Amino acid sequence: MRFFVIKQTIEMKVGFISIFGPPNAGKSTLLNALIGEKLAITSSKVQTTRHRIKGILNTDNYQLIFSDTPGIIEPKYKLHEKMMLAVKGALEDADLAILLVDIKENPEESDAIFRKLKLKAPCIVVLNKIDTATAGIVNERIEFFKGKPYCREVITVSALKKSNIEGLIERILEFLPEGEPFFEGDELTDLPTRFFVSELIREKIFQLYKEEIPYHTTVLVTEFKEKTTLIKIAANIIVQRETQKGILLGEGGKMIRQLGSSAREDIEKFLGQKVFLELFVKVKPKWRDSDLMLKEYGYY
Ligand SMILES: Nc1nc2c(ncn2[C@@H]2O[C@H](COP(=O)(O)OP(=O)(O)OP(=O)(O)O)[C@@H](O)[C@H]2O)c(=O)[nH]1
Ligand SMILES: [Mg+2]
């Protein structure tokens, strides 16, 4: 009797896929749709994302390490420069780039941004928000990007409605090499929990306050203590001026109470545990232009 030992090697596709595009194209919404979890905060305002946020999609057959990045802009202050450094980091280690376009916006503007990136990795142009456009516009945009030198392929999705996300993943896999996974097990990201807590508070600031306030603000978690029945979290909300502090607090503290309770609900959902949240507003003049303060608040 003979025995044959068949050695089976499981072929796994592995790669870094970075999402780039102008502000508000839907990059963070797309990251969340790809990962199937709310990892990155989103808002209807531009410049919501300030960091590179990695989201890892693990199956037996592949490990896809996606990076959400800040929208590409001309920097006006040091915080902007740090944001563009986050974009640069994601440019450098991308195996594949997703160039994300809001189908409603002028394609020439996205094209100008993509040309400047001078990417070495292959690029897929992904037309987002197709739920808002007619078939005629969609076809026009496909034709526009198809001939561009950086574009290997054009794919259409709606990140918000989660349509054609599976199709996008299938195409991504075709561009990636086989390899060993970079991250172990079912890790979802490489960022600490405190970061996501501060982001959830920042997201509420983007939703609750008008105009300039969110752009003058950052959030720093100063305490994160796991108690028996709940997690005690304290965070500083940093603003640049006393007047902004007044707006954040609102009359008799009305606004900050609203901010605190809606942020707490989201943090509880994220952590799956009861949370006691304390918020403090601090004025730090010109923090957006101070290397020292930017570093302290997590912008490297
Ligand atoms: N209708 C529609 N809206 C979308 C879609 N994808 C994203 N949005 C909306 O577009 C807005 C911007 O989405 P974000 O994901 O925050 O965009 P972003 O590119 O990450 O923006 P920045 O971080 O500011 O650069 C939000 O209001 C989203 O709900 C989509 O497929 N369809
Ligand atoms: Mg974003």
Side-chain angles (χ1 to χ4, degrees):
M1 208 168 151
R2 276 188 184 172
F3 291 99
F4 292 98
V5 180
I6 302 168
K7 195 172 169 234
Q8 212 182 359
T9 51
I10 298 172
E11 290 165 355
M12 205 171 171
K13 293 252 182 164
V14 178
F16 284 79
I17 306 107
S18 298
I19 308 170
F20 302 108
N24 215 43
K27 299 176 294 300
S28 304
T29 310
L30 180 63
L31 178 89
N32 294 342
L34 287 160
I35 300 297
E37 296 275 346
K38 186 188 155 154
L39 209 52
I41 61 164
T42 65
S43 92
S44 57
K45 295 188 173 77
V46 297
Q47 295 175 36
T48 305
T49 305
R50 293 177 179 167
H51 296 83
R52 173 183 185 176
I53 298 168
K54 285 195 200 115
I56 306 159
L57 185 59
N58 279 305
T59 71
D60 290 343
N61 303 317
Y62 56 78
Q63 181 174 76
L64 306 182
I65 304 131
F66 293 102
S67 289
D68 178 21
T69 65
I72 297 167
I73 47 167
E74 281 300 324
K76 292 202 176 78
Y77 38 87
K78 272 195 182 147
L79 171 64
H80 280 163
E81 286 170 21
K82 301 281 178 200
M83 286 157 65
M84 293 310 103
L85 280 178
V87 174
K88 193 163 171 268
L91 278 169
E92 277 163 8
D93 60 22
D95 296 307
L96 178 71
I98 290 178
L99 304 180
L100 197 66
V101 174
D102 179 338
I103 199 130
K104 300 192 306 293
E105 297 292 329
N106 179 356
E108 303 280 353
E109 283 170 22
S110 298
D111 177 48
I113 288 172
F114 299 154
R115 278 174 194 272
K116 274 198 208 149
L117 289 179
K118 298 205 168 36
L119 265 152
K120 291 184 198 84
C123 303
I124 308 178
V125 171
V126 176
L127 302 176
N128 188 30
K129 310 195 188 181
I130 53 157
D131 56 293
T132 64
T134 59
I137 293 285
V138 174
N139 287 332
E140 243 176 59
R141 296 290 187 272
I142 292 173
E143 285 308 312
F144 177 89
F145 283 103
K146 228 165 66 180
K148 303 295 176 199
Y150 49 79
C151 177
R152 296 280 284 268
E153 183 152 352
V154 184
I155 294 179
T156 57
V157 300
S158 167
L160 191 67
K161 310 267 179 212
K162 298 191 175 65
S163 79
N164 202 26
I165 301 300
E166 284 302 316
L168 175 58
I169 291 173
E170 269 169 38
R171 287 304 292 134
I172 288 170
L173 288 170
E174 285 171 37
F175 282 91
L176 296 182
E178 275 156 19
E180 296 287 320
F182 284 92
F183 293 92
E184 272 182 40
D186 49 9
E187 267 177 89
L188 201 63
T189 183
D190 61 345
L191 289 162
T193 307
R194 276 171 179 244
F195 169 77
F196 292 103
V197 170
S198 67
E199 286 289 271
L200 288 170
I201 300 168
R202 219 164 53 74
E203 183 177 52
K204 289 293 165 209
I205 296 171
F206 266 80
Q207 287 167 3
L208 280 175
Y209 296 91
K210 281 186 234 146
E211 288 146 30
E212 286 303 292
I213 292 291
Y215 301 101
H216 290 273
T217 307
T218 193
V219 176
L220 185 69
V221 171
T222 53
E223 191 183 338
F224 189 98
K225 278 200 193 121
E226 297 194 37
K227 309 256 181 188
T228 39
T229 53
L230 50 70
I231 303 177
K232 184 169 181 285
I233 299 172
N236 287 344
I237 299 174
I238 319 287
V239 291
Q240 302 212 102
R241 290 193 279 272
E242 282 295 335
T243 47
Q244 293 161 353
K245 180 174 174 174
I247 296 170
L248 262 159
L249 294 173
E251 245 185 272
K254 193 171 149 223
M255 287 299 283
I256 192 106
R257 276 200 299 278
Q258 198 181 333
L259 170 66
S261 72
S262 57
R264 180 180 45 76
E265 276 174 30
D266 281 11
I267 297 167
E268 286 180 341
K269 252 185 248 157
F270 182 76
L271 299 174
Q273 258 178 294
K274 280 257 164 262
V275 163
F276 176 74
L277 177 67
E278 265 186 309
L279 297 175
F280 303 92
V281 184
K282 307 260 175 205
V283 181
K284 298 281 176 184
K286 299 198 170 67
W287 71 264
R288 296 187 312 190
D289 257 314
S290 152
D291 277 323
L292 206 67
M293 282 191 264
L294 284 166
K295 209 167 162 191
E296 186 187 339
Y297 305 146
Y299 302 98
Y300 301 108

